Structure formats: structure tokens, C-alpha cells
Amino acid sequence: DPCRNFHCRRGKVCHVDKQGKPSCICQDPAACPSTKDYEHVCGTDNKTYDGTCQLFGTKCQLEGTKMGRQLHLDYMGSCKYIPHCTDYEVDQFPLRMRDWLKNILMQYYERDMDTSGFLTEKQRSKVKKIYQNDKRLVTGDHAVELLLHDFEKNYHMYVYPVHWQFHQLDQHPVDRLLTHSELAPLRASLVPMEHCITRFFQECDGDQDKFIALKEWCHCFGIKE
């Protein structure tokens, strides 16, 4: 089978011509295998697709068009009504996001006490300092005023979690720039719950070049140069 070791990117499938030569062609969305309801995904066009096969097949067919460039995976699950994000809410968003990132690292550190594997040794040593700090704000639904006060008073505890999350997302390729597809794993899980996340990331891209550089990312979270 000429297609056996012939790999195509998402949205394309291997096709063998009359000469037996393999090439990649767009996946026909209608030919995608049927999916369960929980496998549905929402595109950035606010349309529900029956899975990533259908979404990326549609994107491939729109290649070269403005719609094709703008279509991405927005989040897992059927499209939901996302309320409008106000100026006040987008201003408060980094406070809660910083606290959330810090708490994720705390959870990883606690899990590593039983079975290591979530964090590297270098990461563990950095997180340990935050974890053992008696001034650390414990996990909970804190008022915005308390989060702001804690950030100003214990600024050093928030720097590493913000850098860590950037590094976790910056993978394809590792170039100190975040693309829409690199942000997708974070956005896909948060969009249905955090209606300000889309606007937050749009405003993070200060020069509007479709990439979020490390400097822009840190600026968004209030981390000093």
C-alpha cells in the first residue's frame, strides 16, 4: 500500500493516482467517520462540527480563502452561547488567570510527591519555593481585591507560573512565539467557562501580527521586563 508510510497533515488524506503514486488531498468532510455527541467541536466560525476530522477537512477545502485562514478549533464540545466580555472583566481577567496558573503548578507539585512525572527536577525546585512559602494564597475563589493585593505583595510567586505556561504552549515549533494553534489547547478547555479569554489573547497581540511573543505574553499578565 503506497499510503502506508505516507503521512498527510490534518485535514488531508492520502490518495493514490493511476500510476500508483501517493499524494495528499483534502479530506471530504462528509466521508469522516460518525462521532458521538461528546466528540463534537466548535470552530472559530461558531459552527459545531462532528469532530476534528470534519473541521480540518472543511478548513482544507477552504485553503487559500480568508474563511480558511480564520477557521480554527475554538474549543471541544458543541458551540455554546459566549456572553460579551466587558472592559472591566477583561481588566480583571489576568488576576484570576495568574492565580489559576499558580494553582495548577501547586497541584502538579503535590501529585509529584506520590508519583513523579508531571514536572522536571528543575521545575520542581522552582515550584517548591512557591509551595513552601507560608505567605502563599491557598486555592479558592478569592475576591479581585485580594488577588490584586497578593500579586503586588508577593509578585515573585507569579512570575514563574506565567513563564511556565508560555513554555508549555510554545511547542510547534519552539520559537518564543505563540500561534493560534499553539494557544488552542489552553483556549479549548477554557473558552466555555471563561468568556473573556478570546478577547484577552487578541489584546495580548500588541502589534497584531497574529503571534504572541514572550514579551507580549508577560506584559498581558503584568509581569515586568
Side-chain angles (χ1 to χ4, degrees):
D1 178 7
C3 282
R4 192 170 195 171
N5 294 312
F6 194 82
H7 298 287
C8 297
R9 64 184 175 84
R10 289 180 95 169
K12 295 198 172 190
V13 288
C14 181
H15 171 75
V16 181
D17 63 17
K18 289 173 183 173
Q19 284 77 40
K21 190 179 175 186
S23 64
C24 294
I25 61 167
C26 285
Q27 164 77 53
D28 176 7
C32 287
S34 59
T35 56
K36 305 278 195 299
D37 282 353
Y38 61 80
E39 292 174 310
H40 289 175
V41 296
C42 185
T44 44
D45 56 355
N46 203 35
K47 182 182 169 188
T48 298
Y49 293 85
D50 287 345
T52 52
C53 170
Q54 197 180 85
L55 170 70
F56 288 105
T58 304
K59 180 177 172 64
C60 181
Q61 290 189 335
L62 293 169
E63 207 165 340
T65 67
K66 187 178 179 183
M67 277 180 70
R69 284 192 296 275
Q70 291 177 342
L71 180 59
H72 301 282
L73 168 65
D74 205 13
Y75 53 89
M76 311 307 282
S78 300
C79 294
K80 299 172 179 65
Y81 168 70
I82 307 291
H84 173 70
C85 174
T86 65
D87 292 347
Y88 174 77
E89 287 173 321
V90 85
D91 285 345
Q92 309 307 321
F93 185 80
L95 299 173
R96 292 183 290 110
M97 189 79 175
R98 276 191 308 246
D99 189 54
W100 182 71
L101 292 176
K102 176 173 62 84
N103 289 329
I104 282 179
L105 277 175
M106 297 305 102
Q107 286 176 14
Y108 281 171
Y109 184 81
E110 285 177 342
R111 285 186 207 172
D112 271 8
M113 288 176 177
D114 300 324
T115 52
S116 61
F118 287 101
L119 302 170
T120 65
E121 275 307 309
K122 190 176 177 183
Q123 288 170 337
R124 276 179 62 76
S125 66
K126 284 180 179 288
V127 177
K128 185 180 182 180
K129 291 170 189 169
I130 305 171
Y131 187 82
Q132 292 180 337
N133 195 314
D134 58 357
K135 294 190 179 71
R136 177 169 63 86
L137 202 61
V138 294
T139 308
D141 189 15
H142 302 295
V144 164
E145 292 75 20
L146 181 59
L147 291 176
L148 183 60
H149 174 74
D150 192 61
F151 177 64
E152 289 169 352
K153 203 169 174 77
N154 300 302
Y155 169 82
H156 62 283
M157 288 192 206
Y158 293 90
V159 178
Y160 183 68
V162 171
H163 283 176
W164 169 81
Q165 181 65 80
F166 186 93
H167 171 71
Q168 291 296 108
L169 296 169
D170 181 26
Q171 298 294 334
H172 309 289
V174 179
D175 57 1
R176 295 170 77 88
L177 294 170
L178 295 183
T179 61
H180 191 288
S181 59
E182 285 176 316
L183 281 168
L186 181 64
R187 293 186 70 258
S189 56
L190 288 181
V191 169
M193 298 177 289
E194 286 287 1
H195 64 286
C196 281
I197 197 162
T198 295
R199 183 174 160 188
F200 174 71
F201 285 137
Q202 283 170 347
E203 293 184 10
C204 270
D205 182 14
D207 56 10
Q208 298 293 299
D209 66 349
K210 304 279 192 258
F211 295 101
I212 297 179
L214 178 60
K215 200 170 179 179
E216 289 174 320
W217 174 268
C218 289
H219 178 72
C220 267
F221 285 99
I223 304 299
K224 304 180 192 104
E225 289 188 34

